[in-house]
């Protein structure tokens, strides 16, 4: 009984450095299960090619002329393009990795990764897995914790009461009267709220609090 041919993975590669792009392409082609259907040297060409070819995986340099890898990724996610994206970057700072994953990347690798690691990442991503190398995972976890703390600041009970009053449309004197506080005290709580939410007026404070889930 003949063995069925394994499903091949169709890939588009985009990188503005020809030697690096060719090296990745060669490694993928030699894997025996990946077809590189097209290459691009800038983000705009990459986006056009991906839309046309709809490959299984796109391997994108994070920094390219025209549109960078994040911008291409953003456009693909916005348009519900089924192609999964592996971003490659020379930079491994936590914000870069976080932004890549937040925008919808299925994987992130450093540009000094072994060719075999890129091949295995493409295989894993094509199967629906997310790939982040161990050396950047710890930094990513720290970034997530830092952003979670920033997105949900700790408010005192009084600050929450003042915020609720703002959301109800009460003025500072009305809030003060309701909470049996002096007007100056409510103003102090209000200023602290603005600082924690990084806003400068009550309308922005209410909107930001709603965005961060601080108001029911």
């Amino acid at each position: 009984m003949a063995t069925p041919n394994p499903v091949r993975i169709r890939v588009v590669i985009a990188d503005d450095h020809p030697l690096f792009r060719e090296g990745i392409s060669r490694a993928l082609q030699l894997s025996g299960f990946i077809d590189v259907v097209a290459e691009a040297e800038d983000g705009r060409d990459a986006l056009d090619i991906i839309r046309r070819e709809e490959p299984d995986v796109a391997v994108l340099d994070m920094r390219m002329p025209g549109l960078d890898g994040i911008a291409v990724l953003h456009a693909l996610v916005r348009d519900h393009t089924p192609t999964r994206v592996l971003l490659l970057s020379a930079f491994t700072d936590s914000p870069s990795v976080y932004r890549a994953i937040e925008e919808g990347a299925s994987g992130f690798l450093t540009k000094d990764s072994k060719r075999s690691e890129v091949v295995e990442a493409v295989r894993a991503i094509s199967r629906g897995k997310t790939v982040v190398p161990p050396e950047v995972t710890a930094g990513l976890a720290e970034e997530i914790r830092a952003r979670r703390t920033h997105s949900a600041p700790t408010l005192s009970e009084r600050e929450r009461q003042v915020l609720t009053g703002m959301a109800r449309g009460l003025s500072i004197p009305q809030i003060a009267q309701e909470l049996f506080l002096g007007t100056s005290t409510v103003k102090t709580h209000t200023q602290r709220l603005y600082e924690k939410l990084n806003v400068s007026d009550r309308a922005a404070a209410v909107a930001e609090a709603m965005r961060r889930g601080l108001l029911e």
Side-chain angles (χ1 to χ4, degrees), residues 21 29 40 46 74 76 80 84 90 93 104 106 109 120 138 146 158 161 169 193 213 215:
R21 187 175 69 246
Q29 297 276 27
H74 182 81
L76 295 175
H80 305 288
R84 299 177 183 275
D93 56 292
S106 294
L109 287 179
E120 286 308 309
R158 283 300 191 198
Q161 290 172 340
L193 266 174
L215 285 170

Side-chain angles (χ1 to χ4, degrees), residues 39-109:
E39 298 179 21
E41 60 182 18
D42 65 65
R44 293 190 185 281
D45 283 347
L47 184 56
D48 289 341
I49 291 170
I50 294 168
R51 284 171 170 166
R52 183 180 69 243
E53 298 290 341
E54 291 196 351
D56 301 300
V57 179
V59 180
L60 307 177
D61 184 4
M62 203 156 177
R63 295 197 173 185
M64 292 184 289
L67 296 174
D68 62 18
I70 289 288
V72 175
L73 169 62
H74 182 81
L76 295 175
V77 172
R78 179 197 64 207
D79 297 342
H80 305 288
T81 306
T83 299
R84 299 177 183 275
V85 173
L86 169 64
L87 285 172
L88 303 179
S89 176
F91 304 93
T92 59
D93 56 292
S94 299
S96 294
V97 182
Y98 182 93
R99 188 181 176 205
I101 302 303
E102 182 182 44
E103 286 286 348
S106 294
F108 179 98
L109 287 179

Side-chain angles (χ1 to χ4, degrees), residues 100-134:
I101 302 303
E102 182 182 44
E103 286 286 348
S106 294
F108 179 98
L109 287 179
T110 62
K111 295 191 78 169
D112 58 1
S113 298
K114 296 178 180 178
R115 297 292 184 261
S116 59
E117 292 174 332
V118 178
V119 171
E120 286 308 309
V122 168
R123 185 206 295 267
I125 287 170
S126 73
R127 295 175 175 176
K129 297 181 179 180
T130 299
V131 176
V132 179

Side-chain angles (χ1 to χ4, degrees), residues 151 160 208-216:
S151 64
R160 288 185 179 277
E208 186 66 12
M210 292 179 66
R211 186 184 73 80
R212 299 188 187 196
L214 297 173
L215 285 170
E216 296 298 332

